[in-house]
Amino acid sequence: MARIRDDQAFAAKRREILDAAEALFVEQGFHQTGMAAICDAAGMSPGGLYRYFASKTDIIRAIVETERESVLEMVEAIERAPDFRSGLVAALDEAITAVSDPDYASLALEIAAEGARNEDVGATVRETGQEAHEQLAGAIARARTRGEVAGAVNPDAAAAMILMLIDGAMNDMGKTFAAQKSRTRKAALARFVDAALGPPTT
């Protein structure tokens, strides 16, 4: 009888492998990290690992894909919030705090460099960035329809500004901003959001 794969266990093991690989990539870089090291860190044989990922490139692409999932979750959280602007401020605060972490920033730089060298990785990075932009722009457009965003606001441009702010948090200024008190960060982000979205029309 053929074995039936437990999808939940399979996904959990993939996540465990990705966590081990991410730690090695941050510490050593992509090109200095071989599949054997990832196997050791994940406590698996090469044959076991290849059941989950066919190559190191597949692992890198899967890491990028997790960013897509994070963006979708962020947009969903914003749209579930009772107030669109407060939801956006909360999501921005959480995202900026996360990406300003030195390990996250190091991994992001490794991904960007690998994307420039490897077309498969580069295509995944571009697709993920484009989807992030489309999802956020769509949320802003829906909020504009509800009157929570000024009618003159261009959702594509506003989404681009917001995503640029998140990307920019990976530098030293991002760490400085993330180190501020929560109340200070959120007040500054609220002013940014108000400027980006204009006055509500309702």
Side-chain angles (χ1 to χ4, degrees):
M1 180 182 293
R3 293 180 62 186
I4 299 174
R5 191 177 80 181
D6 183 335
D7 289 340
Q8 187 172 0
F10 187 84
K13 192 61 181 179
R14 275 177 59 92
R15 183 64 261 175
E16 185 180 326
I17 295 167
L18 291 179
D19 288 342
E22 286 179 10
L24 289 172
F25 292 154
V26 168
E27 181 182 349
Q28 302 174 179
F30 287 150
H31 286 274
Q32 289 70 40
T33 301
M35 290 293 274
I38 296 172
C39 287
D40 288 343
M44 302 179 69
S45 67
L49 181 64
Y50 285 115
R51 288 180 54 224
Y52 297 89
F53 297 100
S55 65
K56 188 166 67 173
T57 294
D58 279 351
I59 293 175
I60 297 168
R61 291 177 64 189
I63 292 171
V64 177
E65 288 287 348
T66 63
E67 287 300 302
R68 176 179 294 171
E69 295 168 9
S70 295
V71 170
L72 294 177
E73 290 171 1
M74 181 184 79
V75 172
E76 289 172 1
I78 293 168
E79 297 207 89
R80 284 197 306 268
D83 173 72
F84 182 79
R85 288 170 188 254
S86 63
L88 180 55
V89 168
L92 273 174
D93 186 54
E94 183 177 344
I96 288 170
T97 301
V99 304
S100 64
D101 177 78
D103 286 351
Y104 184 101
S106 295
L107 184 62
L109 289 173
E110 285 287 334
I111 289 171
E114 188 64 17
R117 292 187 290 259
N118 184 312
E119 180 53 35
D120 285 342
V121 174
T124 303
V125 170
R126 289 191 295 274
E127 289 167 8
T128 298
Q130 182 62 32
E131 184 167 1
H133 179 264
E134 289 173 358
Q135 292 292 330
L136 185 55
I140 293 171
R142 289 187 289 275
R144 186 180 63 180
T145 299
R146 295 191 300 268
E148 297 179 75
V149 172
V153 166
N154 182 305
D156 288 334
M161 273 197 304
I162 290 165
L163 293 172
M164 282 192 296
L165 179 66
I166 295 173
D167 285 344
M170 285 184 277
N171 62 25
D172 287 342
M173 291 299 100
K175 285 183 270 187
T176 299
F177 183 74
Q180 301 293 314
K181 292 180 179 178
S182 176
R183 183 173 60 184
T184 302
R185 290 197 313 267
K186 289 180 179 178
L189 289 171
R191 289 191 292 272
F192 170 82
V193 166
D194 283 343
L197 303 185
T201 58
T202 57

